[in-house]
Structure formats: C-alpha cells, structure tokens
Amino acid sequence: MDKNNNSTENIKIAFYLNLVFSVVEAIGGFLTNSISIFSDAIHDLGDSISIGVSYLLEKKSKKASDKNYTYGYLRYSLLGALITSIVLLVGSCIVLYNAIPRLFHPESINHEAMIIFAIFGVLINGYATIKTSRSKVKNEKAINLHMLEDTLGWVAILIGSICIKQFNLVIIDPILSILITIYILFHVYKNLKE
C-alpha cells in the first residue's frame, strides 16, 4: 500500500475511533458530572465531523487531473486541514463557554468513573495518534495534531481526576478544561496560519 492510500486509511481509522469514543465520552461526562470530560466529548464530536470531511477530501485529492482541474485535486487535502482547524476552533469556544462558570460554582464529580474514562481516553486517542503520526500529508498531519492534543488532554484529565480523588479539589475539573482549550487554540492558530 502506498503512502497516499495509507494516509487515507489512517484518517478513516481515526474517524471511527473518534466518533465512537465521543459518544462514550458524552455518556461518561453525564455520569461523572465532569465538565472536562463532557467538554472533551463535544470537542471530539467536532473532531469526528471534521475528520470525516477530511477523509472525503483526502480521497478526492487523489484524483488525477482533468479538464476542470488541470493540476489535479491535491488542494482538497489542504481544504480538509482548514475545515478541521475551524471545527476545532468552534469546539474550543464551546468548551470555554461551559467551563468558565464552573470556576465560580464548582460541582461535585464522580472521580472514580472519571479515572476509568481517562484511562480509556489515553489508550484510544494514543492509538489514533500513533496511526496518523508518520505521514507527510498535510491533512493527516492536522488530524495527528488533533489526536495528540486529545491524548495529552486525557493524560491531564487522568492526573486531575487522581488529584480530585486525593485532595477533593473539584475546581481542577474546569481548570483542566480551560488549560486544554488554551493549548488547543494555540495550535489551531499555528495550523491556520500555516
């Protein structure tokens, strides 16, 4: 399998993993009352949509040139990277909108279940990160950035949930959401600029 077909296949794997896990996360956020998990579910659902669009555009970019596109369809891959970045930007704004009020009115959460969801989050997103990590294709590199951010976010949620369990500091939950979002927004800015 050549690297172009491989990149399309890796994007498809990342799409299915993200879509299924975003549904699991939404349920987990509701069951644990964790804004960081629920916010990540919204974020991952947005990622899933943008990855699906990226997958379709990546496949389209492989078409040979024709009379309408004499240089081929390669720019569709860049369009996929742009759409992915914009969806991530919108998802980040939603996260901030939900997390900031909890700084002033923290709510209790189920930290035991939060730890379990965080472990699954690290494993699933870590696998997707590895699958998309070796590409030189711009579209897949943008998706790899999403997967890496999600994995790091879950590592932070895991550490935070352990701290919540040990010290009963429920304010860590919205703080994590805000810090993860700031990190993501920084990388979205770099990706859009590029």
Side-chain angles (χ1 to χ4, degrees), residues 99-145:
I100 290 172
R102 286 216 184 174
L103 285 174
F104 306 104
H105 306 288
E107 297 182 16
S108 63
I109 59 169
N110 181 341
H111 49 75
E112 299 286 346
M114 196 174 166
I115 291 170
I116 293 167
F117 277 103
I119 291 169
F120 279 116
V122 170
L123 293 175
I124 290 171
N125 287 290
Y127 176 74
T129 301
I130 291 167
K131 285 299 288 180
T132 58
S133 66
R134 295 177 188 93
S135 179
K136 301 290 183 225
V137 177
K138 201 66 152 151
N139 194 8
E140 191 176 355
K141 284 173 71 175
I143 290 169
N144 178 256
L145 177 63

Side-chain angles (χ1 to χ4, degrees), residues 47-62:
D47 283 355
S48 298
I49 293 166
S50 61
I51 290 170
V53 169
S54 293
Y55 170 73
L56 294 173
L57 293 175
E58 188 67 29
K59 280 186 77 165
K60 180 101 171 157
S61 75
K62 307 287 188 274

Side-chain angles (χ1 to χ4, degrees), residues 14-81:
F15 167 73
Y16 285 120
L17 283 173
N18 229 23
L19 182 63
V20 170
F21 194 63
S22 65
V23 173
V24 172
E25 275 182 289
I27 294 167
F30 178 75
L31 293 176
T32 62
N33 196 33
S34 168
I35 189 68
S36 58
I37 290 179
F38 195 73
S39 296
D40 199 61
I42 292 169
H43 173 90
D44 279 352
L45 183 60
D47 283 355
S48 298
I49 293 166
S50 61
I51 290 170
V53 169
S54 293
Y55 170 73
L56 294 173
L57 293 175
E58 188 67 29
K59 280 186 77 165
K60 180 101 171 157
S61 75
K62 307 287 188 274
K63 286 178 65 176
S65 60
D66 58 27
K67 66 178 184 169
N68 293 325
Y69 293 90
T70 56
Y71 290 103
Y73 290 77
L74 195 57
R75 293 276 182 197
Y76 278 93
S77 180
L78 289 175
L79 179 61

